[in-house]
Amino acid sequence: MTRAHALLLAAALLSACDRPPPATRGIPPAAEATVQRWLSGTDPGSAPTAPRPGMDRGFQALGAEVYRLRCIPCHGVNGNGKGLHAARLSVPARDFTSGVYEFRSTPSGTLPTDLDLFRTISRGVHGTAMIPWSWLSEAERWAVIEHVKSFSPRFREEGPGAPVALPPTPAETPELAAQGAIAWARNGCAKCHGDGGEGDGPSAPTLRRDGGEPLRPLPFSGGRFLRGKSLPELWLTLATGLDGTPMPSYASIPDEELWALAAWVRDRAGLAGGARTLRPSPEEQLGWRIDIEDR
Ligand code: HEC
Ligand code: HEC
């Protein structure tokens, strides 16, 4: 074999292992069904079912393609949250260049894990235009995560935070919620959220995101939670805070008290008895319309 032949063969082999699975195009029927269920309050599964694929050049290309097809309309070409539809959104799309993330299993101030990002992308963010993308293949989701991370130098400079240990979930009893009501008053949650958690506390009109945009906490009675409504998801929100917003982390509060607070919040949301069908949220519906329009 000549040197030229050997080079050709090597190039052919390389491109064969680099070839990514093709990106999903259009809106498959499974997407429609998933999003309709999500709009009425049923969240899709957000845990990966297979090990994460190795990130070779093929996957990097797939990530860029998924981002171009699905995420640019809101998050923008450069990941700065200034996509074509930014002006239509009342909750701005995340600016990925800052490297600040609301939904983490890691302590406030640290980077999320890849699994945190996988979960967020799969389950969506209620009350915002960020619909669930669980209907994309797992490979596509892992690949687009790498692309999202590439917008912030933070991910190259530091690793993710160490996930906080989620204690075993206690039984959700009226007594636990009653302890939560006491903890709610003791910890000054009402300052921002109001006595009943309706988002009307004395500080509410002054609250702003790090980017300067005003924001109001959602009324708990609406039953809609950005990150998720289960007891463990609410526990994690309290233990790690929502970085980039005024919602602090309460990592210093004992675990049992955090469970009690989470139970009280679910009680206010009418979730203590089980699932609840939600009224459609205009912002969530807008997100889905944008995604359809952009096909
Ligand atoms: C229709 C608009 C829209 C599209 C399309 C969209 N997003 Fe979002 N995304 C949002 C909004 C709005 C938020 C902010 C939610 C918040 O601040 O609570 C967000 C937040 C996020 C977050 C940050 C969560 C955190 O922890 O702070 C990630 C990650 C994300 N999107 C990834 C993606 C990916 C990946 C795609 C493409 C597959 C995508 N988004 C497509 C609107 C969109
Ligand atoms: C300084 C103001 C402030 C204080 C004090 C505060 N919060 Fe929040 N909280 C917020 C804001 C703002 C949001 C909404 C963030 C967003 O929309 O991105 C929020 C969101 C939440 C959510 C919703 C999470 C979700 O996934 O939707 C819960 C639950 C919550 N807070 C519970 C509490 C509890 C319990 C306390 C007291 C231990 C507390 N908060 C104290 C400002 C505050």
Side-chain angles (χ1 to χ4, degrees):
M1 188 158 49
T2 65
R3 207 181 125 84
H5 276 122
L7 275 176
L8 270 177
L9 183 66
L13 278 175
L14 245 179
S15 72
C17 19
D18 262 358
R19 197 169 303 133
T24 311
R25 283 170 197 271
I27 302 278
E32 174 86 49
T34 301
V35 175
Q36 290 308 331
R37 277 198 301 274
W38 180 77
L39 289 170
S40 64
T42 307
D43 292 335
S46 59
T49 58
R52 170 202 170 120
M55 286 296 140
D56 59 11
R57 270 196 294 155
F59 271 96
Q60 281 171 19
L62 175 66
E65 179 68 352
V66 173
Y67 188 82
R68 186 179 72 77
L69 287 171
R70 306 290 179 186
C71 322
I72 279 184
C74 298
H75 292 282
V77 186
N78 304 318
N80 59 5
K82 304 234 162 19
L84 187 62
H85 299 284
R88 295 167 72 187
L89 306 178
S90 4
V91 180
R94 172 71 58 255
D95 170 0
F96 296 134
T97 62
S98 67
V100 174
Y101 285 84
E102 278 182 64
F103 313 112
R104 292 158 290 97
S105 62
T106 61
S108 179
T110 64
L111 290 174
T113 64
D114 289 356
L115 189 57
D116 288 336
L117 294 172
F118 188 95
R119 291 204 178 110
T120 302
I121 291 166
S122 302
R123 88 182 151 224
V125 184
H126 276 295
T128 82
M130 173 76 185
I131 59 144
W133 300 95
S134 57
W135 47 277
L136 294 176
S137 75
E138 292 188 8
E140 285 174 292
R141 281 177 268 164
W142 286 121
V144 80
I145 285 168
E146 284 312 304
H147 196 76
V148 161
K149 284 160 63 184
S150 72
F151 290 120
S152 164
R154 268 192 86 186
F155 285 97
R156 290 189 288 280
E157 290 156 5
E158 54 190 288
V164 301
L166 182 74
T169 310
E172 190 171 20
T173 58
E175 293 72 38
L176 189 64
Q179 287 164 25
I182 298 167
W184 179 261
R186 183 167 52 228
N187 290 293
C189 313
K191 189 164 62 110
C192 298
H193 288 280
D195 290 335
E198 291 307 285
D200 54 359
S203 301
T206 65
L207 299 176
R208 289 183 179 271
R209 295 177 192 280
D210 281 5
E213 307 89 352
L215 91 166
R216 291 295 275 260
L218 293 170
F220 295 157
S221 61
R224 194 172 267 107
F225 294 96
L226 302 160
R227 175 191 193 119
K229 57 182 183 291
S230 72
L231 215 44
E233 282 163 320
L234 288 167
W235 190 94
L236 273 176
T237 298
L238 298 175
T240 67
L242 298 173
D243 286 2
T245 86
M247 173 66 193
S249 135
Y250 288 97
S252 55
I253 294 184
D255 290 348
E256 312 78 67
E257 201 168 325
L258 292 184
W259 285 122
L261 284 164
W264 184 80
V265 168
R266 276 176 55 86
D267 189 54
R268 299 299 307 173
L271 290 162
R276 168 180 163 188
T277 305
L278 298 184
R279 266 186 296 144
S281 140
E283 194 71 7
E284 292 174 1
Q285 287 177 314
L286 171 63
W288 183 222
R289 261 202 319 280
I290 290 175
D291 296 320
I292 293 173
E293 281 168 20
D294 244 81
R295 285 321 104 216

